[in-house]
Amino acid sequence: KSVNLKRIIFEVLRTFSNEIKNDKIKIDLKIKNKTKNVQGDRDELFQVLQNLLENAIRYGGKKCEVIISLRQAETRPANLPKNSWPAVCIEVSDNGPGIDKIHLGRLTERFYRVDTSRSKESGGTGLGLAIVKHIVNRHRGCLVIGSELSIGSKFSIYLKENNSK
């Protein structure tokens, strides 16, 4: 089915409206109006965005800034299947503490936690990014993770454009 990611972004933001308000989190939306829909399962893609936004809020901390962008992808990541191009890119980034590079390769492993004491304290199970990766892979897309300590983290999802009219 054809899925409108812009609509999903706004639905996910509504589910976190209390946390965003209470923690004084700044949300910066960078959504290109001409972005095409993607082929996929609406509920699963909702869960992907929900998990990414929840992580940004949880680990970014109070008063952090979260940027959510949606655009046509300009370049094809190496791990995106060739038949999944052209693609749409959705990114969730924060200006939180960031993640040490030694952890980046393992972030999508089930039950893997960067900081176990902090994850348990905030209710994390270590499954969110494993679920994200699984859903994105099932949609023949890819997940690209970037982070720098003291600067923040960026999670980019690439999904094939829906070319049907």
Side-chain angles (χ1 to χ4, degrees), residues 97-125:
I99 304 161
D100 193 311
K101 298 217 181 304
I102 63 168
H103 298 289
L104 293 182
R106 298 193 60 197
L107 282 179
T108 58
E109 291 178 17
R110 292 185 319 153
F111 306 114
Y112 184 80
R113 295 177 180 171
V114 172
D115 180 349
T116 53
S117 61
R118 187 166 173 217
S119 295
K120 287 177 185 171
E121 178 183 297
S122 61
T125 61

PDB file of all heavy atoms in Angstrom, residues 97-125:
ATOM      1  N   PRO A  97      23.532  13.668  24.129  1.00  0.00           N
ATOM      2  CA  PRO A  97      24.929  13.358  24.448  1.00  0.00           C
ATOM      3  C   PRO A  97      25.666  12.575  23.373  1.00  0.00           C
ATOM      4  O   PRO A  97      26.893  12.505  23.384  1.00  0.00           O
ATOM      5  CB  PRO A  97      24.815  12.529  25.735  1.00  0.00           C
ATOM      6  CG  PRO A  97      23.446  11.951  25.698  1.00  0.00           C
ATOM      7  CD  PRO A  97      22.592  12.974  24.992  1.00  0.00           C
ATOM      8  N   GLY A  98      24.940  11.989  22.426  1.00  0.00           N
ATOM      9  CA  GLY A  98      25.583  11.201  21.388  1.00  0.00           C
ATOM     10  C   GLY A  98      25.957   9.810  21.877  1.00  0.00           C
ATOM     11  O   GLY A  98      25.789   9.476  23.045  1.00  0.00           O
ATOM     12  N   ILE A  99      26.443   9.011  20.952  1.00  0.00           N
ATOM     13  CA  ILE A  99      26.791   7.618  21.236  1.00  0.00           C
ATOM     14  C   ILE A  99      28.220   7.390  20.758  1.00  0.00           C
ATOM     15  O   ILE A  99      28.566   7.741  19.623  1.00  0.00           O
ATOM     16  CB  ILE A  99      25.830   6.665  20.488  1.00  0.00           C
ATOM     17  CG1 ILE A  99      24.375   6.975  20.854  1.00  0.00           C
ATOM     18  CG2 ILE A  99      26.179   5.212  20.765  1.00  0.00           C
ATOM     19  CD1 ILE A  99      23.365   6.428  19.877  1.00  0.00           C
ATOM     20  N   ASP A 100      29.028   6.785  21.599  1.00  0.00           N
ATOM     21  CA  ASP A 100      30.409   6.490  21.240  1.00  0.00           C
ATOM     22  C   ASP A 100      30.435   5.555  20.026  1.00  0.00           C
ATOM     23  O   ASP A 100      29.647   4.618  19.925  1.00  0.00           O
ATOM     24  CB  ASP A 100      31.115   5.820  22.429  1.00  0.00           C
ATOM     25  CG  ASP A 100      32.615   5.765  22.250  1.00  0.00           C
ATOM     26  OD1 ASP A 100      33.089   5.330  21.174  1.00  0.00           O
ATOM     27  OD2 ASP A 100      33.326   6.155  23.192  1.00  0.00           O
ATOM     28  N   LYS A 101      31.346   5.812  19.108  1.00  0.00           N
ATOM     29  CA  LYS A 101      31.446   5.046  17.862  1.00  0.00           C
ATOM     30  C   LYS A 101      31.614   3.542  18.096  1.00  0.00           C
ATOM     31  O   LYS A 101      31.205   2.744  17.257  1.00  0.00           O
ATOM     32  CB  LYS A 101      32.595   5.572  17.009  1.00  0.00           C
ATOM     33  CG  LYS A 101      32.379   7.023  16.589  1.00  0.00           C
ATOM     34  CD  LYS A 101      32.877   7.286  15.210  1.00  0.00           C
ATOM     35  CE  LYS A 101      32.708   8.717  14.769  1.00  0.00           C
ATOM     36  NZ  LYS A 101      31.391   9.263  14.808  1.00  0.00           N
ATOM     37  N   ILE A 102      32.196   3.150  19.230  1.00  0.00           N
ATOM     38  CA  ILE A 102      32.386   1.717  19.480  1.00  0.00           C
ATOM     39  C   ILE A 102      31.055   0.971  19.618  1.00  0.00           C
ATOM     40  O   ILE A 102      31.000  -0.238  19.446  1.00  0.00           O
ATOM     41  CB  ILE A 102      33.265   1.441  20.737  1.00  0.00           C
ATOM     42  CG1 ILE A 102      32.592   1.963  22.008  1.00  0.00           C
ATOM     43  CG2 ILE A 102      34.654   2.002  20.569  1.00  0.00           C
ATOM     44  CD1 ILE A 102      33.251   1.486  23.288  1.00  0.00           C
ATOM     45  N   HIS A 103      29.964   1.700  19.876  1.00  0.00           N
ATOM     46  CA  HIS A 103      28.649   1.075  20.052  1.00  0.00           C
ATOM     47  C   HIS A 103      27.814   1.070  18.769  1.00  0.00           C
ATOM     48  O   HIS A 103      26.846   0.308  18.686  1.00  0.00           O
ATOM     49  CB  HIS A 103      27.847   1.798  21.135  1.00  0.00           C
ATOM     50  CG  HIS A 103      28.468   1.748  22.481  1.00  0.00           C
ATOM     51  ND1 HIS A 103      28.520   0.596  23.241  1.00  0.00           N
ATOM     52  CD2 HIS A 103      29.079   2.709  23.216  1.00  0.00           C
ATOM     53  CE1 HIS A 103      29.136   0.849  24.376  1.00  0.00           C
ATOM     54  NE2 HIS A 103      29.485   2.128  24.390  1.00  0.00           N
ATOM     55  N   LEU A 104      28.141   1.903  17.799  1.00  0.00           N
ATOM     56  CA  LEU A 104      27.260   2.102  16.640  1.00  0.00           C
ATOM     57  C   LEU A 104      26.941   0.817  15.894  1.00  0.00           C
ATOM     58  O   LEU A 104      25.812   0.597  15.476  1.00  0.00           O
ATOM     59  CB  LEU A 104      27.834   3.149  15.686  1.00  0.00           C
ATOM     60  CG  LEU A 104      27.896   4.577  16.226  1.00  0.00           C
ATOM     61  CD1 LEU A 104      28.434   5.523  15.167  1.00  0.00           C
ATOM     62  CD2 LEU A 104      26.555   5.051  16.741  1.00  0.00           C
ATOM     63  N   GLY A 105      27.923  -0.055  15.707  1.00  0.00           N
ATOM     64  CA  GLY A 105      27.704  -1.289  14.966  1.00  0.00           C
ATOM     65  C   GLY A 105      26.788  -2.284  15.657  1.00  0.00           C
ATOM     66  O   GLY A 105      26.240  -3.178  15.021  1.00  0.00           O
ATOM     67  N   ARG A 106      26.607  -2.110  16.959  1.00  0.00           N
ATOM     68  CA  ARG A 106      25.800  -3.074  17.724  1.00  0.00           C
ATOM     69  C   ARG A 106      24.435  -2.526  18.149  1.00  0.00           C
ATOM     70  O   ARG A 106      23.644  -3.253  18.753  1.00  0.00           O
ATOM     71  CB  ARG A 106      26.573  -3.504  18.973  1.00  0.00           C
ATOM     72  CG  ARG A 106      27.880  -4.202  18.610  1.00  0.00           C
ATOM     73  CD  ARG A 106      28.498  -4.898  19.771  1.00  0.00           C
ATOM     74  NE  ARG A 106      27.593  -5.927  20.293  1.00  0.00           N
ATOM     75  CZ  ARG A 106      27.723  -6.475  21.501  1.00  0.00           C
ATOM     76  NH1 ARG A 106      28.696  -6.105  22.305  1.00  0.00           N
ATOM     77  NH2 ARG A 106      26.876  -7.403  21.908  1.00  0.00           N
ATOM     78  N   LEU A 107      24.148  -1.285  17.834  1.00  0.00           N
ATOM     79  CA  LEU A 107      22.918  -0.650  18.322  1.00  0.00           C
ATOM     80  C   LEU A 107      21.639  -1.380  17.927  1.00  0.00           C
ATOM     81  O   LEU A 107      20.650  -1.318  18.650  1.00  0.00           O
ATOM     82  CB  LEU A 107      22.813   0.792  17.820  1.00  0.00           C
ATOM     83  CG  LEU A 107      23.645   1.824  18.540  1.00  0.00           C
ATOM     84  CD1 LEU A 107      23.429   3.193  17.904  1.00  0.00           C
ATOM     85  CD2 LEU A 107      23.315   1.877  20.012  1.00  0.00           C
ATOM     86  N   THR A 108      21.650  -2.046  16.782  1.00  0.00           N
ATOM     87  CA  THR A 108      20.422  -2.697  16.323  1.00  0.00           C
ATOM     88  C   THR A 108      20.334  -4.160  16.748  1.00  0.00           C
ATOM     89  O   THR A 108      19.410  -4.863  16.350  1.00  0.00           O
ATOM     90  CB  THR A 108      20.292  -2.604  14.789  1.00  0.00           C
ATOM     91  OG1 THR A 108      21.447  -3.206  14.196  1.00  0.00           O
ATOM     92  CG2 THR A 108      20.158  -1.156  14.344  1.00  0.00           C
ATOM     93  N   GLU A 109      21.269  -4.615  17.584  1.00  0.00           N
ATOM     94  CA  GLU A 109      21.186  -5.968  18.134  1.00  0.00           C
ATOM     95  C   GLU A 109      20.101  -6.003  19.208  1.00  0.00           C
ATOM     96  O   GLU A 109      19.970  -5.061  19.993  1.00  0.00           O
ATOM     97  CB  GLU A 109      22.517  -6.385  18.773  1.00  0.00           C
ATOM     98  CG  GLU A 109      23.630  -6.586  17.797  1.00  0.00           C
ATOM     99  CD  GLU A 109      24.943  -6.940  18.488  1.00  0.00           C
ATOM    100  OE1 GLU A 109      24.917  -7.337  19.685  1.00  0.00           O
ATOM    101  OE2 GLU A 109      25.986  -6.810  17.842  1.00  0.00           O
ATOM    102  N   ARG A 110      19.366  -7.103  19.250  1.00  0.00           N
ATOM    103  CA  ARG A 110      18.337  -7.241  20.276  1.00  0.00           C
ATOM    104  C   ARG A 110      18.965  -7.186  21.663  1.00  0.00           C
ATOM    105  O   ARG A 110      19.998  -7.804  21.905  1.00  0.00           O
ATOM    106  CB  ARG A 110      17.565  -8.543  20.106  1.00  0.00           C
ATOM    107  CG  ARG A 110      16.720  -8.526  18.852  1.00  0.00           C
ATOM    108  CD  ARG A 110      15.838  -9.727  18.691  1.00  0.00           C
ATOM    109  NE  ARG A 110      16.497 -10.965  19.069  1.00  0.00           N
ATOM    110  CZ  ARG A 110      15.849 -12.046  19.511  1.00  0.00           C
ATOM    111  NH1 ARG A 110      14.547 -12.034  19.625  1.00  0.00           N
ATOM    112  NH2 ARG A 110      16.506 -13.130  19.822  1.00  0.00           N
ATOM    113  N   PHE A 111      18.348  -6.415  22.535  1.00  0.00           N
ATOM    114  CA  PHE A 111      18.718  -6.253  23.945  1.00  0.00           C
ATOM    115  C   PHE A 111      20.051  -5.531  24.166  1.00  0.00           C
ATOM    116  O   PHE A 111      20.502  -5.435  25.299  1.00  0.00           O
ATOM    117  CB  PHE A 111      18.725  -7.612  24.689  1.00  0.00           C
ATOM    118  CG  PHE A 111      17.433  -8.363  24.551  1.00  0.00           C
ATOM    119  CD1 PHE A 111      17.381  -9.561  23.858  1.00  0.00           C
ATOM    120  CD2 PHE A 111      16.261  -7.849  25.087  1.00  0.00           C
ATOM    121  CE1 PHE A 111      16.182 -10.240  23.717  1.00  0.00           C
ATOM    122  CE2 PHE A 111      15.058  -8.531  24.953  1.00  0.00           C
ATOM    123  CZ  PHE A 111      15.028  -9.731  24.263  1.00  0.00           C
ATOM    124  N   TYR A 112      20.662  -5.019  23.108  1.00  0.00           N
ATOM    125  CA  TYR A 112      21.922  -4.288  23.295  1.00  0.00           C
ATOM    126  C   TYR A 112      21.610  -2.898  23.839  1.00  0.00           C
ATOM    127  O   TYR A 112      20.726  -2.205  23.338  1.00  0.00           O
ATOM    128  CB  TYR A 112      22.703  -4.169  21.983  1.00  0.00           C
ATOM    129  CG  TYR A 112      24.049  -3.515  22.173  1.00  0.00           C
ATOM    130  CD1 TYR A 112      25.115  -4.255  22.663  1.00  0.00           C
ATOM    131  CD2 TYR A 112      24.245  -2.168  21.913  1.00  0.00           C
ATOM    132  CE1 TYR A 112      26.358  -3.673  22.872  1.00  0.00           C
ATOM    133  CE2 TYR A 112      25.481  -1.577  22.114  1.00  0.00           C
ATOM    134  CZ  TYR A 112      26.529  -2.331  22.592  1.00  0.00           C
ATOM    135  OH  TYR A 112      27.760  -1.745  22.806  1.00  0.00           O
ATOM    136  N   ARG A 113      22.333  -2.503  24.861  1.00  0.00           N
ATOM    137  CA  ARG A 113      22.160  -1.175  25.457  1.00  0.00           C
ATOM    138  C   ARG A 113      23.525  -0.529  25.599  1.00  0.00           C
ATOM    139  O   ARG A 113      24.477  -1.163  26.045  1.00  0.00           O
ATOM    140  CB  ARG A 113      21.522  -1.280  26.838  1.00  0.00           C
ATOM    141  CG  ARG A 113      20.116  -1.809  26.804  1.00  0.00           C
ATOM    142  CD  ARG A 113      19.615  -1.926  28.207  1.00  0.00           C
ATOM    143  NE  ARG A 113      18.255  -2.432  28.224  1.00  0.00           N
ATOM    144  CZ  ARG A 113      17.641  -2.785  29.315  1.00  0.00           C
ATOM    145  NH1 ARG A 113      18.232  -2.691  30.478  1.00  0.00           N
ATOM    146  NH2 ARG A 113      16.416  -3.227  29.270  1.00  0.00           N
ATOM    147  N   VAL A 114      23.606   0.741  25.258  1.00  0.00           N
ATOM    148  CA  VAL A 114      24.855   1.482  25.396  1.00  0.00           C
ATOM    149  C   VAL A 114      25.158   1.693  26.875  1.00  0.00           C
ATOM    150  O   VAL A 114      26.252   1.450  27.352  1.00  0.00           O
ATOM    151  CB  VAL A 114      24.781   2.833  24.655  1.00  0.00           C
ATOM    152  CG1 VAL A 114      25.990   3.686  24.953  1.00  0.00           C
ATOM    153  CG2 VAL A 114      24.643   2.591  23.161  1.00  0.00           C
ATOM    154  N   ASP A 115      24.158   2.161  27.606  1.00  0.00           N
ATOM    155  CA  ASP A 115      24.306   2.456  29.031  1.00  0.00           C
ATOM    156  C   ASP A 115      23.192   1.721  29.763  1.00  0.00           C
ATOM    157  O   ASP A 115      22.071   2.210  29.851  1.00  0.00           O
ATOM    158  CB  ASP A 115      24.213   3.967  29.250  1.00  0.00           C
ATOM    159  CG  ASP A 115      24.349   4.381  30.707  1.00  0.00           C
ATOM    160  OD1 ASP A 115      24.309   3.506  31.589  1.00  0.00           O
ATOM    161  OD2 ASP A 115      24.489   5.590  30.957  1.00  0.00           O
ATOM    162  N   THR A 116      23.504   0.535  30.270  1.00  0.00           N
ATOM    163  CA  THR A 116      22.454  -0.304  30.853  1.00  0.00           C
ATOM    164  C   THR A 116      21.763   0.345  32.043  1.00  0.00           C
ATOM    165  O   THR A 116      20.556   0.240  32.187  1.00  0.00           O
ATOM    166  CB  THR A 116      23.009  -1.688  31.273  1.00  0.00           C
ATOM    167  OG1 THR A 116      24.136  -1.484  32.121  1.00  0.00           O
ATOM    168  CG2 THR A 116      23.399  -2.501  30.073  1.00  0.00           C
ATOM    169  N   SER A 117      22.491   1.061  32.881  1.00  0.00           N
ATOM    170  CA  SER A 117      21.847   1.670  34.043  1.00  0.00           C
ATOM    171  C   SER A 117      20.865   2.746  33.608  1.00  0.00           C
ATOM    172  O   SER A 117      19.751   2.831  34.117  1.00  0.00           O
ATOM    173  CB  SER A 117      22.888   2.250  34.997  1.00  0.00           C
ATOM    174  OG  SER A 117      23.634   3.261  34.360  1.00  0.00           O
ATOM    175  N   ARG A 118      21.246   3.554  32.644  1.00  0.00           N
ATOM    176  CA  ARG A 118      20.360   4.618  32.171  1.00  0.00           C
ATOM    177  C   ARG A 118      19.163   4.046  31.415  1.00  0.00           C
ATOM    178  O   ARG A 118      18.048   4.529  31.543  1.00  0.00           O
ATOM    179  CB  ARG A 118      21.141   5.582  31.277  1.00  0.00           C
ATOM    180  CG  ARG A 118      20.324   6.782  30.904  1.00  0.00           C
ATOM    181  CD  ARG A 118      21.189   7.880  30.320  1.00  0.00           C
ATOM    182  NE  ARG A 118      20.316   8.921  29.851  1.00  0.00           N
ATOM    183  CZ  ARG A 118      20.518   9.637  28.770  1.00  0.00           C
ATOM    184  NH1 ARG A 118      21.598   9.466  28.059  1.00  0.00           N
ATOM    185  NH2 ARG A 118      19.669  10.543  28.399  1.00  0.00           N
ATOM    186  N   SER A 119      19.387   2.993  30.621  1.00  0.00           N
ATOM    187  CA  SER A 119      18.292   2.384  29.867  1.00  0.00           C
ATOM    188  C   SER A 119      17.247   1.809  30.801  1.00  0.00           C
ATOM    189  O   SER A 119      16.054   1.987  30.597  1.00  0.00           O
ATOM    190  CB  SER A 119      18.817   1.279  28.951  1.00  0.00           C
ATOM    191  OG  SER A 119      19.653   1.804  27.973  1.00  0.00           O
ATOM    192  N   LYS A 120      17.694   1.084  31.821  1.00  0.00           N
ATOM    193  CA  LYS A 120      16.744   0.490  32.767  1.00  0.00           C
ATOM    194  C   LYS A 120      15.985   1.569  33.517  1.00  0.00           C
ATOM    195  O   LYS A 120      14.786   1.471  33.731  1.00  0.00           O
ATOM    196  CB  LYS A 120      17.490  -0.431  33.741  1.00  0.00           C
ATOM    197  CG  LYS A 120      17.942  -1.717  33.097  1.00  0.00           C
ATOM    198  CD  LYS A 120      18.744  -2.556  34.071  1.00  0.00           C
ATOM    199  CE  LYS A 120      19.303  -3.780  33.362  1.00  0.00           C
ATOM    200  NZ  LYS A 120      20.244  -4.522  34.184  1.00  0.00           N
ATOM    201  N   GLU A 121      16.703   2.616  33.901  1.00  0.00           N
ATOM    202  CA  GLU A 121      16.103   3.734  34.641  1.00  0.00           C
ATOM    203  C   GLU A 121      15.009   4.412  33.828  1.00  0.00           C
ATOM    204  O   GLU A 121      13.982   4.809  34.346  1.00  0.00           O
ATOM    205  CB  GLU A 121      17.238   4.722  34.958  1.00  0.00           C
ATOM    206  CG  GLU A 121      16.869   5.979  35.667  1.00  0.00           C
ATOM    207  CD  GLU A 121      18.113   6.856  35.817  1.00  0.00           C
ATOM    208  OE1 GLU A 121      19.063   6.433  36.488  1.00  0.00           O
ATOM    209  OE2 GLU A 121      18.118   7.938  35.218  1.00  0.00           O
ATOM    210  N   SER A 122      15.208   4.523  32.510  1.00  0.00           N
ATOM    211  CA  SER A 122      14.231   5.210  31.669  1.00  0.00           C
ATOM    212  C   SER A 122      13.254   4.246  31.008  1.00  0.00           C
ATOM    213  O   SER A 122      12.438   4.667  30.196  1.00  0.00           O
ATOM    214  CB  SER A 122      14.950   6.045  30.614  1.00  0.00           C
ATOM    215  OG  SER A 122      15.736   5.219  29.791  1.00  0.00           O
ATOM    216  N   GLY A 123      13.347   2.965  31.325  1.00  0.00           N
ATOM    217  CA  GLY A 123      12.371   2.007  30.819  1.00  0.00           C
ATOM    218  C   GLY A 123      12.731   1.349  29.500  1.00  0.00           C
ATOM    219  O   GLY A 123      11.904   0.691  28.901  1.00  0.00           O
ATOM    220  N   GLY A 124      13.951   1.513  29.014  1.00  0.00           N
ATOM    221  CA  GLY A 124      14.342   0.914  27.743  1.00  0.00           C
ATOM    222  C   GLY A 124      14.549  -0.590  27.850  1.00  0.00           C
ATOM    223  O   GLY A 124      15.007  -1.092  28.872  1.00  0.00           O
ATOM    224  N   THR A 125      14.187  -1.303  26.771  1.00  0.00           N
ATOM    225  CA  THR A 125      14.341  -2.760  26.760  1.00  0.00           C
ATOM    226  C   THR A 125      15.517  -3.207  25.903  1.00  0.00           C
ATOM    227  O   THR A 125      15.910  -4.366  25.956  1.00  0.00           O
ATOM    228  CB  THR A 125      13.082  -3.431  26.191  1.00  0.00           C
ATOM    229  OG1 THR A 125      12.902  -2.985  24.841  1.00  0.00           O
ATOM    230  CG2 THR A 125      11.858  -3.121  27.027  1.00  0.00           C
TER     231      THR A 125
END
